[in-house]
Amino acid sequence: MYIGFDYGTSNCSVAHMLSGEPQLLVLENDQFYLPSTLAAPTRDSVSEYLFRFCQIEPADAAGQQLLRRAMAANREEGIELQQADLLFGQAALELYLAHPQDLYYVKSPKSFLGAMGLHEMQLRFFEDLVCVMMANIKQRAEQACQQSISDAVIGRPINFQGSGGEDSNQQAEAILRRAAHRAGFKQVQFQFEPVAAGLEYEASLSEEQTVLVVDIGGGTTDCSLLRMGPSWRDAKDRSASLLAHSGQRVGGNDLDIHLAFRQLMPHFGLGSRLDSGLEMPMKQLWNPLAINDLSAQNEFYGQRNLAELKLLLKEATEPEKVKRLLEVYYDTLGYSLVRRAEEAKIALSQTPDYHSSMTLENELLQFAMQFDDMVQALEVPKQQITKLVQEAITQGGTTPDVVFMTGGSARSPVLRQAVAEVLPNVPLVSGNDFGSVTAGLARWAKVCFS
């Protein structure tokens, strides 16, 4: 059996073909979408769990070395790993929100796969991390459809996050491929995520159209300009229908990060000053929120930064704010802050005001935001997405007949208005914002594996 597999930055989902139509499979609590999260007692628990409870061996000598180190580290910490110790999806998120300081938690590992300068052990760890998540999702999908799954088409962005250009893309795709094979998939193909979304939209067409697909996912925004319609449907060679692609690292996570930075970080020192008259260093307020930037996370939560934060506490004119920032450091609260911003973003798409709170060690911190605050906070990512739309149109040399917007952030009225301003006379349509890519991947899997 084959599936379409959206290993997404925010959520994962899979679909198979049933009676000629894609059907998403339930992965958690009657839901089709499993948050791309993992929680474990320690970082080293990931590799040991994969070997001990998934019976998945390391792929090479470097992987074996990583496993030996991980098992030795857990023994030294007195950790006797149990099968229930690794949590995935919503269960992992809930555990992190309840006990952020007591575990290893990762969200959106796809964001790190294209990072340059990683040493061999880091690459093997990311492979293990993706593999254990894929193995878990494969098992859930097989339980849902009561069939064994052997083959998959996996979605990928036009450009993975990373500074290495095509080198980043090749590294990330190689990690995904190796992890998928180790997780039990025999045949693995890749398809661009906006093309997959376009294939799902194409199934509804009765005539030829030029379609601009704008896929605003959790980690990237990707645009594809495509010729689509009945004459292209089920064609194995679609190269002549692909007129242009554009894509970069700006997605739902970036919207949440920018909103958290502008609206939440003033409570933690943004805009406050030191005794010298200088403002608080920007990186100390940005890095804890940059959950899609491995180097920023390592820099903020590194031991060396603790001394810098303590020095800032002594020099701050508003030390109570820096004390909160120290609490972010000690309790690894960056994900929690971005989560609060994500909740605000969703709410402000429907209501003009939003109020929330966050429990810290000695206080209940209150937040209040308005729709206009969100608009201002999202100005930078909005401009980046607008540029990608314009780039795809310029490359393709033609104006589309329709714009098909999809992805979790495609519902944002701010972003929809931005796209509409680029193409004011072109209809803007939507489908299943979260499931179009997955459904299109299943359609392409039928073309590849039938």
Side-chain angles (χ1 to χ4, degrees), residues 234-301:
D234 297 327
K236 290 191 175 182
D237 183 1
R238 297 290 305 240
S239 56
S241 72
L242 308 179
L243 304 179
H245 291 310
S246 64
Q248 72 174 72
R249 191 192 83 175
V250 53
N253 282 349
D254 296 274
L255 304 180
D256 303 335
I257 290 166
H258 277 268
L259 185 58
F261 181 72
R262 291 298 176 191
Q263 292 299 310
L264 303 186
M265 294 315 283
H267 296 278
F268 297 84
L270 179 63
S272 65
R273 294 190 178 273
L274 307 177
D275 291 334
S276 64
L278 296 175
E279 287 193 356
M280 276 279 292
M282 196 74 72
K283 70 173 185 177
Q284 295 287 10
L285 300 155
W286 178 264
N287 284 354
L289 304 177
I291 60 173
N292 54 5
D293 186 332
L294 184 62
S295 61
Q297 292 284 283
N298 289 341
E299 183 176 351
F300 182 79
Y301 291 110

Side-chain angles (χ1 to χ4, degrees), residues 151-357:
D151 309 318
V153 170
I154 300 173
R156 56 151 290 181
I158 303 298
N159 291 304
F160 285 90
Q161 300 183 35
S163 59
E166 190 53 33
D167 288 341
S168 289
N169 290 335
Q170 291 179 9
Q171 174 180 287
E173 188 173 299
I175 292 172
L176 289 172
R177 187 183 298 277
R178 289 195 304 266
H181 283 308
R182 290 177 65 203
F185 294 103
K186 295 179 181 178
Q187 295 187 82
V188 175
Q189 299 287 339
F190 290 91
Q191 179 58 275
F192 290 128
E193 289 158 359
V195 173
L199 295 175
E200 176 62 8
Y201 174 70
E202 184 181 55
S204 67
L205 296 180
S206 58
E207 59 184 15
E208 306 300 305
Q209 286 187 340
T210 300
V211 182
L212 176 65
V213 180
V214 181
D215 177 21
I216 308 175
T220 60
T221 292
D222 296 299
C223 301
S224 289
L225 190 64
L226 305 131
R227 292 192 181 100
M228 312 204 87
S231 66
W232 293 102
R233 201 170 293 147
D234 297 327
K236 290 191 175 182
D237 183 1
R238 297 290 305 240
S239 56
S241 72
L242 308 179
L243 304 179
H245 291 310
S246 64
Q248 72 174 72
R249 191 192 83 175
V250 53
N253 282 349
D254 296 274
L255 304 180
D256 303 335
I257 290 166
H258 277 268
L259 185 58
F261 181 72
R262 291 298 176 191
Q263 292 299 310
L264 303 186
M265 294 315 283
H267 296 278
F268 297 84
L270 179 63
S272 65
R273 294 190 178 273
L274 307 177
D275 291 334
S276 64
L278 296 175
E279 287 193 356
M280 276 279 292
M282 196 74 72
K283 70 173 185 177
Q284 295 287 10
L285 300 155
W286 178 264
N287 284 354
L289 304 177
I291 60 173
N292 54 5
D293 186 332
L294 184 62
S295 61
Q297 292 284 283
N298 289 341
E299 183 176 351
F300 182 79
Y301 291 110
Q303 185 64 33
R304 181 183 300 177
N305 194 42
L306 178 58
E308 293 187 25
L309 290 171
K310 288 181 177 179
L311 182 60
L312 288 173
L313 178 62
K314 293 180 180 179
E315 298 177 345
T317 59
E318 298 179 86
E320 70 280 2
K321 293 184 177 181
V322 183
K323 287 181 180 178
R324 293 173 186 152
L325 190 60
L326 273 164
E327 193 167 340
V328 172
Y329 174 91
Y330 285 122
D331 291 346
T332 323
L333 296 180
Y335 284 107
S336 293
L337 288 165
V338 175
R339 174 71 174 175
R340 293 296 192 285
E342 180 185 15
E343 292 169 349
K345 177 191 70 178
I346 294 169
L348 289 171
S349 295
Q350 300 178 346
T351 61
D353 301 284
Y354 178 75
H355 298 269
S356 183
S357 62

Side-chain angles (χ1 to χ4, degrees), residues 128-149:
D128 279 0
L129 183 60
V130 174
C131 182
V132 77
M133 294 175 74
M134 284 187 168
N136 177 262
I137 291 167
K138 183 174 184 289
Q139 181 184 39
R140 292 171 186 245
E142 288 176 337
Q143 290 175 347
C145 67
Q146 294 296 298
Q147 294 185 64
S148 176
I149 298 170

